[in-house]
Amino acid sequence: MESKEEDVFKIGRKLDKMITRKDSSSCAQALDLLKALQTIPITLEVLQKTRIGMTVNNLRKSIADEDVITLSKTLIKSWKKLLSDKDSKPETDAQKAGNNGADTQKNNSTN
């Protein structure tokens, strides 16, 4: 599991560099990296630790290549399903405690 997480981190760093350089000539490389991400079985834990979803979304916004945009959207949608699958499972006590804190903050901000 460690190597999977490391692979995602490495890909994320490379994508971040492309975003900061705004290098539109690297669309082929970005596409290759996204395809590599597609082959890695990513868990919710890896998504949260690596924040790769945010990186891919930023890439999608910063590159005009349609293939990169389409594959980015596909990856993001598949990862969002991991979140909805998690939400459909019964919550542990720790998760309930965390959610109650968030609900309290929301209620306080609306008052």
Side-chain angles (χ1 to χ4, degrees):
M1 184 152 136
E2 191 72 5
S3 65
K4 177 173 47 173
E5 194 174 307
E6 284 178 24
D7 291 343
V8 174
F9 266 122
K10 287 177 186 175
I11 292 171
R13 275 187 246 125
K14 289 178 183 177
L15 292 173
D16 279 332
K17 285 180 185 176
M18 287 181 206
I19 294 166
T20 54
R21 279 191 258 130
K22 297 190 177 182
D23 187 4
S24 59
S25 65
S26 60
C27 290
Q29 186 183 5
L31 201 55
D32 288 342
L33 291 170
L34 291 174
K35 287 177 182 176
L37 276 176
Q38 206 171 23
T39 64
I40 300 172
I42 295 181
T43 63
L44 184 60
E45 181 183 356
V46 171
L47 274 176
Q48 290 171 332
K49 284 184 179 179
T50 61
R51 301 183 59 82
I52 192 68
M54 306 238 345
T55 301
V56 170
N57 197 38
N58 288 337
L59 176 74
R60 177 188 65 80
K61 292 175 183 177
S62 67
I63 287 190
D65 184 82
E66 282 302 316
D67 292 334
V68 172
I69 292 169
T70 302
L71 187 52
S72 296
K73 285 181 180 179
T74 302
L75 285 168
I76 292 166
K77 283 179 187 176
S78 69
W79 295 335
K80 282 186 178 181
K81 286 180 186 174
L82 290 175
L83 275 175
S84 63
D85 290 348
K86 175 193 167 252
D87 290 342
S88 64
K89 292 179 185 173
E91 293 182 1
T92 64
D93 290 339
Q95 289 171 328
K96 287 179 184 175
N99 287 344
N100 288 341
D103 292 342
T104 305
Q105 287 178 338
K106 285 181 189 173
N107 290 340
N108 289 342
S109 66
T110 57
N111 289 338

